[in-house]
Each structure stands twice: as C-alpha cells, then as structure tokens.
Amino acid sequence: MDQASKTGSFHRRVAVDTPEHVRLDYVLADVGSRAAALAIDLGVLVAGILLLGLAYYYIDRLGGFVGSVSGTVLIFALFFAQWGYFLLCEWFWDGRTPGKRAIGLRVVHVGGEPLSFQGSVLRNLLRIIDLQPGVTGVAGAVCILANKRAQRLGDLVAGTMVVRDAGGGELLGTDALPPGRVGRPRLAPAQFELLAGYMARREGLEPAVRRRVAESVLKALDSAVELQPMNANATPGEALARLHEEEAPRHAARRGGASLQASTMAREQREEWAAYSGLVEKGRKRGLSSFTEGETHRFGRLYRGMMADLERARTYGASPGLLGTVQRWAGAGHNLLYRARGRVAVSVWRWVAAGFPSSVRRFRRPILLAALLLFGPMAATFAAVDGEPRLGRSLVGPGMFARAENTVKGDINTLYLEREVAAAEMPVFSSFLITNNIGVTFVTFAGGFLAGAGTLYILLINGISIGAALAVYANEGVLGVILAFVFSHGFLELGAICIAGGAGFGLGSALLMPGRRTRAEALRERGRTFLSLLAGTSLMLVVAGLIEGFYSPSTLPAAAKFTFGGATGVLMLLYFGLAGRESGAPAAATTAPAP
C-alpha cells in the first residue's frame, strides 16, 4: 500500500510498505528532472542512430553477402535503438537509463518493488503517446502534474512511478557532525530536509549535474531566507555546504535527546552499515547470484538490521540527513533483494502452445471488431477505386501506381516490385519488413490508450491503403500478380494487425468501461493482460517477414504460393481454435513470457 503526499512546496513524496512491514518514503521526480533525464537520453539515442545510419550508408555500398548481413544487423540495431533503448536500459539497470543515472532518478513500481520486465515494456510502449502532440511531450507532462504519484500515461498502465534514486551517500549522516553554533534554526524543517537531501546525494552526482542541482536548491532556499550576504563570494555548492554546517547542529539541538540517541546509533552501527553498503554495491554490479553462501546469509542479516535501524531512526527523531541516507540504503537493499530478473511467469513453450491462442479466444470480440474495421474499409475502398484510376492514384501514390502499370499482364509470376529481389538482398528486405510491421503493431496497441481512437485510425488507414493498392492492380488487369505475392504471408501479417488492434481496443476499454475498478487499476490489469497478445503478434510478424522476404519474392509458381498461403490460413484457424483448450489453465491466457 502506498500513500502520496506533498512536503512543503518543494517536492511530492509517496510512502510504501515493504514485505517486512517497514515504511519507505520516496521523493517523486518532478517534471523538470524527468525532462532533463529525457533530454540526455534522447541525445544518446540520436547520436547512436546517426552513427548506425552512417555505418549502414557505407556498408550498403559494399553489396554482396557482407553488405547484406551487415545491413540486416544494422536494421535490427536501428529498430532496437528506437523501441528498445529505454526498455532494455531500464530493465538491465534496475529502472535507470543513462539520463536517469545522471540526474539521480529510478523507476519503481507503485508498491515499491523494483521495475519488472513487463512494467518496462508497458511504460515504454506507451511513450509514443506521452510524447504527443508531435514530440513535445505535453501529454506526459500534463499527466505528471495532475497525478498524485507524478505518473505519466505509460506509468499508469505499467503501474510504475519515477522517484529520486534510492542509493548513494555516506551512511554516517549529519548526526555525527561535530558540534557547531547552536541557535534558532534559519530554515524550516521541510527546507532543511531539502538541503540535507542534497548534501546526502551530492557525491553521487556528476559535476555538471551537481552544479545545476545546487543552483536549484539554493534558489529555492533563497526565496525563503535571506542568504545573499553569506553566498556573495561562494559557489552554490560551497554556500549550501556552509549553510548545512551551521543548520545541522541547530536542528539536532532542536530535537533534543532523541537526536542524540540517533547519533549514538549511527556511531554504533558504523561497521555494520559499511559492510551492508559494500554488499549492496557488489550486488548492484554483479547481481545476488555473485554472492557466496556466506555473503548471502550476511546480506540477509544486515538487510533486516538496516530495516530495523530505519525504524529506530524514525523513533529517535534522527535528522533529515541521517534519516534520508539510512532510508536510501534500505531502499537500495530492498530493490536488490526483490529484483524480478530471471523469474519467468510462464515458460515460452507453454505460452506458445496454450497461453497465446487462449488469449486470442478470450478476447475474440475486440479482435473481431479490429478485423471488421480493417477488412471493411479495405473492401469498400477496393469497390470505390475499381474502375476509377484517378481515385486510385490519389490514394496509393505515384510509386505504387507506376509499379502496377509496369507489371506484365497475364504473367502472375511477375513480381509487383520494380525489380526482382536478388538472393543477396533478401535478408535486408526481410529484416526491414519485420521491424516495420512490428513497429506498426506497437503503435496500434499504444493508440488504444486514446480511448481506442489511435487504434481505430491505424486500422482504417491500413485498410484503405491495402484496398486501394489491390484495386489499382485490378484496374491494370494484373490483380493475380499482387495476390500471388501477398497470399503467402498475408494471413499471418493481417492477422497480427487484427490481434494488435484488439489489444488496443481492450486497453481503451479500461478508460471507457473500467467496471468496478478505478481507471488506473483497470489500465494496469488490462495492460498486463493484453501484453500477451502483443508478444504473440511480434512472433507472428517475424515469421511473416521471413516468408515475405524469402518465399514471396521467389520465382516459384503462383500455384505454390497460393497453396502455401492457404495452408497457412488453415493452420492459423486450427491453432487459434484448438490449441490450449485441454490445458484448462486460465493463467496461461493472460500472462506473457518474460526473459
């Protein structure tokens, strides 16, 4: 259970209860810090894509087998850079990307658990909606400001939140400082907490980031107390350090004997805390599997002790600096202990054999609705364009129209492309088709968050485009040529789009018809549920892309291609109609495999 609140006017907090029944308080990341992290990540991503594009340009000129293999690798690299950068970084680095590491942020689930693979997938698939309109990010920013946990749209579906990083800082905090000038504090408790939080985290920040954060903190405090005379000849960091040195004893004295107890505890636990922090750092770098048996037992003992020390620090009324640092290390141990990596919800084989087809049957209504919205406009557009060349030219563009005109009439083995795909080019062609089509299904699913409007738009556009292309070939009298090409892979490809459309509509239904749950709860539940459908469409499109890249453009007789496509369609009906019925395991229908 968690509870969101606002501390003063500086930042928002959220409290979560761990399985050990200890409360962890997280400081929520604000729009500014998240925007700064995103800017850094986009810089890294754009630089990577430019380098890959440059490499592809030069490698493509090599031609032959080397150019084909290299081009295939680069196409998949570009796809993963676009769709997998945030997902994989957050998964492998425990909720952090390079930008989040630089700013000091981390993604966790709303219950305080470390980010799971499914959570990373969902929040990053929805990023394209958060960036709207265009790439301005207004939709996500507005949602962060309006939401009590500072969640963007993707966070709502994934059940995640972005918090200040829960690691770093010296465990012996401000209670161990030598006595200083004692008097009435100049800063209110909330203001001193902001200052103490910066002092605890500053050593873990990059110099440029530390300077910007110091300027921001100093500006916030300067608006509350007159600090200019003290800061005239000092950098922001030096001014804050001096202010902290003066204020820490005053706040400690204000707390009285309780603060002395916390200070005594900090001194007594110095060695234990040092051993604990060393194990946490090792676990972060290498994982818990790198611990020896003795280290595993020791970490468990020290972790329980740290949780107890956190409660003692609260009871003793420890200073914000010590309390915040103990909590950050307790949270770091919690994240390490409860990491979900390596835990597979359902085996891949069981999911393919039963889970995926069961999900398709379970959600057949939204999938059939998506099919109607794809094939209905396709048939209507075909009928409208048939016999109307001008309309066809305006809908498909000059490129497709020229290909139809240049196709040899009467020879259905002639490719509808400008030229035959050479054997050496087939891997590049296939990889381009796979990545492009998977990207389309991702956008189709994400569009469902707009109450299904985005999914509807993509289905209609694809239906109209395909129907117009078929009609253009029919007007030229060579409909059989394009049908011979698309029939081999068409059932898999169009079926995958319909399933992704059904998943998008299912996600949209959480907004329109959440049932007895809140919309946020419905989004989280249905997002995880429909992720199984999306994973299945990706697998289908990999197979369809291989067929379209290698088999469809081959010189085999058209009869062979029609027979192959027909067999594919029959097998799909048998698979989705019968597979998994004997398992009787409803969980398999709603859970996608995890790596």
Side-chain angles (χ1 to χ4, degrees):
M1 179 178 291
D2 67 276
Q3 182 178 3
S5 63
K6 182 174 282 191
T7 302
S9 58
F10 299 109
H11 44 65
R12 287 181 285 178
R13 289 181 172 273
V14 63
V16 300
D17 292 328
T18 70
E20 294 81 19
H21 303 290
V22 176
R23 189 184 86 242
L24 291 178
D25 295 320
Y26 291 100
V27 177
L28 297 171
D30 54 23
V31 174
S33 58
R34 294 178 69 167
L38 179 61
I40 295 173
D41 285 321
L42 290 180
V44 173
L45 186 57
V46 170
I49 290 176
L50 289 177
L51 290 175
L52 288 172
L54 186 64
Y56 179 75
Y57 171 77
Y58 285 105
I59 291 175
D60 185 57
R61 299 172 67 180
L62 297 175
F65 177 77
V66 174
S68 178
V69 173
S70 302
T72 300
V73 172
L74 286 171
I75 286 176
F76 279 109
L78 286 168
F79 174 79
F80 282 110
Q82 180 183 1
W83 288 101
Y85 170 81
F86 291 96
L87 188 159
L88 296 176
C89 285
E90 290 180 354
W91 166 238
F92 286 111
W93 287 354
D94 297 327
R96 294 176 295 175
T97 61
K100 290 184 176 68
R101 287 172 67 98
I103 302 300
L105 306 179
R106 184 189 297 273
V107 184
V108 298
H109 282 283
V110 293
E113 304 89 355
L115 181 65
S116 66
F117 178 75
Q118 289 186 351
S120 181
V121 171
L122 285 170
R123 76 183 306 271
N124 287 297
L125 283 179
L126 271 293
R127 187 179 297 276
I128 190 172
I129 304 299
D130 281 296
L131 290 175
Q132 301 306 310
V135 292
T136 61
V138 171
V142 171
C143 188
I144 290 172
L145 292 173
N147 188 272
K148 68 179 183 178
R149 298 193 191 100
Q151 294 170 293
R152 62 176 175 84
L153 303 176
D155 290 319
L156 290 173
V157 177
T160 55
M161 59 185 180
V162 182
V163 300
R164 294 290 180 181
D165 198 0
E170 293 293 334
L171 266 173
L172 189 59
T174 57
D175 290 84
L177 291 172
R181 290 175 291 171
V182 177
R184 184 176 182 181
R186 301 172 65 189
L187 298 177
Q191 296 163 356
F192 180 71
E193 185 176 355
L194 176 65
L195 174 62
Y198 161 76
M199 294 299 295
R201 293 180 53 247
R202 64 174 181 170
E203 296 301 327
L205 300 177
E206 297 292 332
V209 177
R210 183 166 63 240
R211 184 175 60 255
R212 290 196 298 269
V213 174
E215 291 173 352
S216 177
V217 173
L218 185 62
K219 183 178 179 181
L221 297 179
D222 196 35
S223 63
V225 296
E226 293 294 333
L227 301 178
Q228 288 88 347
M230 183 186 66
N231 299 334
N233 299 316
T235 65
E238 293 171 346
L240 291 176
R242 190 182 310 162
L243 178 62
H244 183 265
E245 183 179 358
E246 293 181 0
E247 286 292 291
R250 295 171 181 171
H251 281 265
R254 187 176 185 179
R255 291 173 181 270
S259 183
L260 295 178
Q261 287 181 295
S263 180
T264 301
M265 179 190 71
R267 291 187 176 90
E268 291 176 347
Q269 296 297 105
R270 180 191 295 268
E271 294 183 2
E272 294 281 294
W273 289 354
Y276 169 78
S277 61
L279 288 175
V280 170
E281 290 296 344
K282 180 180 179 179
R284 279 175 165 178
K285 295 177 181 178
R286 304 177 185 177
L288 287 176
S289 59
S290 66
F291 286 0
T292 64
E293 182 177 355
E295 287 176 330
T296 301
H297 289 295
R298 191 181 188 193
F299 173 72
R301 178 180 63 81
L302 292 173
Y303 171 74
R304 291 190 295 272
M306 179 58 65
M307 287 296 183
D309 290 340
L310 175 59
E311 289 298 291
R312 291 169 62 194
R314 288 197 177 106
T315 302
Y316 294 159
S319 70
L322 177 60
L323 181 60
T325 306
V326 172
Q327 178 169 273
R328 278 190 290 276
W329 279 101
H334 173 266
N335 283 348
L336 180 62
L337 185 62
Y338 292 100
R339 287 172 65 178
R341 184 181 300 174
R343 292 182 290 184
V344 180
V346 176
S347 70
V348 174
W349 168 247
R350 182 186 176 192
W351 171 74
V352 172
F356 178 46
S358 298
S359 295
V360 172
R361 289 194 300 271
R362 179 184 177 187
F363 302 110
R364 59 186 178 276
R365 291 184 179 178
I367 294 173
L368 290 174
L369 175 61
L372 177 63
L373 293 172
L374 176 67
F375 292 105
M378 186 187 304
T381 305
F382 182 90
V385 176
D386 189 24
E388 295 290 339
R390 292 183 179 178
L391 179 59
R393 183 184 293 273
S394 63
L395 289 177
V396 302
M400 179 67 73
F401 199 84
R403 287 196 289 269
E405 288 180 331
N406 295 332
T407 301
V408 180
K409 296 183 179 181
D411 183 4
I412 61 175
N413 291 320
T414 302
L415 293 176
Y416 83 104
L417 302 168
E418 298 98 325
R419 58 187 174 85
E420 184 176 351
V421 178
E425 297 175 343
M426 285 183 176
V428 177
F429 183 49
S430 178
S431 60
F432 171 77
L433 294 170
I434 291 172
T435 56
N436 178 75
N437 291 337
I438 291 178
V440 170
T441 59
F442 286 172
V443 176
T444 303
F445 171 73
F449 193 88
L450 303 175
T455 302
L456 174 63
Y457 172 79
I458 294 172
L459 291 172
L460 292 178
I461 289 297
N462 277 274
I464 292 172
S465 299
I466 296 172
L470 294 175
V472 165
Y473 274 79
N475 288 338
E476 296 297 324
V478 288
L479 179 62
V481 175
I482 192 172
L483 287 179
F485 180 85
V486 303
F487 209 77
S488 301
H489 60 272
F491 287 104
L492 281 168
E493 189 173 297
L494 296 180
I497 294 177
C498 292
I499 294 173
F505 285 136
L507 184 63
S509 69
L511 291 174
L512 299 176
M513 297 175 290
R516 295 183 179 180
R517 299 175 178 83
T518 65
R519 283 181 170 81
E521 292 171 343
L523 282 170
R524 289 197 296 269
E525 178 183 334
R526 296 180 194 181
R528 291 191 298 268
T529 297
F530 290 112
L531 192 60
S532 176
L533 293 180
L534 199 63
T537 62
S538 299
L539 182 61
M540 292 173 64
L541 290 172
V542 169
V543 177
L546 293 173
I547 296 172
E548 187 175 359
F550 291 92
Y551 187 83
S552 297
S554 68
T555 57
L556 291 172
K561 297 179 181 180
F562 282 116
T563 302
F564 183 88
T568 301
V570 171
L571 289 175
M572 283 179 60
L573 288 175
L574 293 175
Y575 173 66
F576 288 121
L578 301 177
R581 287 189 179 276
E582 69 281 358
S583 66
T590 61
T591 309

